[in-house]
């Protein structure tokens, strides 16, 4: 079965007011992401990487164009529906892991599942499975301060996919890690995407990691272009 397009940006524009002038970041940008695909977003700072991720993740509204998630147009949806789509269909991973320091690794991964309505037993079982998959099951009861940088980021990835989203959006997920640890974390992320059929868009400055992904895109003149 051919991969399906799960995320599509069509003619997306995003402008910001700067005093009396308007700063145009995206100008009719088009992009699509298919199930089981990992795409690298490689672009200099200030070109619109974070803006593109925010639009794709329904954190911002485009000024023109449309964002489709699993075939559904999202711009006109009420805020409550957009929030529900973000919670259930999109996973986010950032450069900084943003784990809750007072909770253990397994509790951090349980949190979004409990918010989504799963029972504590179900949430704990899935969290344990994800930690095992990320090869850190033995660290389940450790708090973030007791984990290495690579371990923390693998917990963050597990948390991002805890609710079985369709799309994973990552902004420099290995930016704070040394090259060896970054490669190890990416290996775990790639295996997760391949096994689950997830679709991933990963913004990175790491050209070695970008070269290992299925496609590489950049932003030029406000548009998304293949590299």
């Amino acid at each position: 079965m051919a991969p399906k397009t799960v995320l599509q940006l069509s003619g997306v524009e995003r402008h910001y007011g700067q005093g009396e002038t308007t700063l145009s970041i995206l100008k009719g940008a088009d992009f699509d992401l298919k199930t089981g695909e990992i795409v690298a977003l490689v672009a200099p700072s200030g070109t619109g990487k974070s803006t593109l991720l925010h639009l794709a993740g329904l954190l911002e509204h485009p000024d023109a164009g449309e964002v489709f998630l699993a075939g559904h147009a999202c711009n006109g949806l009420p805020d409550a529906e957009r929030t529900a789509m973000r919670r259930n269909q999109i996973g986010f991973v950032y450069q900084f892991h943003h784990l809750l320091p007072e909770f253990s690794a397994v509790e951090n991964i349980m949190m979004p599942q409990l918010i989504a309505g799963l029972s504590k037993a179900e949430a704990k079982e899935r969290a344990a499975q994800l930690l095992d998959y990320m090869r850190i099951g033995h660290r389940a009861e450790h708090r973030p301060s007791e984990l290495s940088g690579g371990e923390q980021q693998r917990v963050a990835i597990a948390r991002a996919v805890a609710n079985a989203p369709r799309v994973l959006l990552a902004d420099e997920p290995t930016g704070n890690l040394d090259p060896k640890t970054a490669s190890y974390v990416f290996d775990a992320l790639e295996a997760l995407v391949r096994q689950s059929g997830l679709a991933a868009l990963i913004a990175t400055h790491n050209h070695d990691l970008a070269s290992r992904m299925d496609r590489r895109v950049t932003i030029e003149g406000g548009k998304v272009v293949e590299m």
Side-chain angles (χ1 to χ4, degrees):
M1 186 181 295
K4 293 182 179 180
T5 297
V6 66
L7 173 69
Q8 182 182 15
L9 277 65
S10 178
V12 165
E13 299 191 6
R14 191 72 175 103
H15 315 290
Y16 298 98
Q18 230 181 25
E20 296 182 357
T21 62
T22 298
L23 185 63
S24 295
I25 302 297
L26 297 175
K27 308 172 188 175
D30 297 313
F31 174 73
D32 63 84
L33 187 65
K34 293 180 170 56
T35 56
E37 182 179 45
I38 307 178
V39 176
L41 174 58
V42 184
S45 297
T47 55
K49 283 202 312 291
S50 293
T51 297
L52 186 71
L53 288 171
H54 288 169
L55 292 171
L58 309 184
L59 294 168
E60 293 185 31
H61 287 269
D63 295 301
E66 184 59 88
V67 177
F68 297 91
L69 185 60
H72 299 288
C74 297
N75 290 353
L77 294 177
D79 285 345
E81 286 189 40
R82 287 170 64 89
T83 298
M85 292 188 83
R86 275 199 306 273
R87 184 174 62 229
N88 299 323
Q89 303 205 41
I90 303 171
F92 296 91
V93 182
Y94 300 97
Q95 181 171 350
F96 301 100
H97 53 77
H98 296 302
L99 299 175
L100 298 171
E102 65 271 32
F103 294 101
S104 67
V106 72
E107 288 170 337
N108 266 279
I109 301 168
M110 289 170 64
M111 206 68 66
Q113 300 177 76
L114 296 173
I115 292 170
L118 263 68
S119 71
K120 190 172 182 179
E122 290 174 311
K124 188 166 187 177
E125 181 180 1
R126 177 159 172 78
Q129 289 172 347
L130 285 166
L131 284 170
D132 284 340
Y133 198 88
M134 302 300 283
R135 303 181 197 171
I136 47 172
H138 60 294
R139 308 289 273 167
E141 300 302 329
H142 289 70
R143 293 186 180 186
S145 61
E146 300 170 311
L147 303 174
S148 69
E151 288 171 338
Q152 290 171 351
Q153 200 62 315
R154 277 181 279 164
V155 173
I157 292 168
R159 180 183 58 184
V161 301
N163 284 339
R166 293 172 181 265
V167 176
L168 181 68
L169 302 173
D171 194 356
E172 298 288 349
T174 62
N176 286 334
L177 306 176
D178 64 82
K180 183 177 180 180
T181 304
S183 180
Y184 193 81
V185 169
F186 180 77
D187 286 344
L189 174 60
E190 181 181 25
L192 194 62
V193 171
R194 303 301 185 205
Q195 290 291 326
S196 65
L198 192 63
L201 175 62
I202 302 176
T204 182
H205 283 108
N206 188 322
H207 288 274
D208 289 336
L209 291 186
S211 68
R212 294 165 56 182
M213 301 188 208
D214 299 318
R215 288 191 289 138
R216 290 178 297 159
V217 299
T218 189
I219 299 174
E220 292 181 357
K223 296 184 181 297
V224 180
V225 298
E226 298 281 339
M227 294 179 69

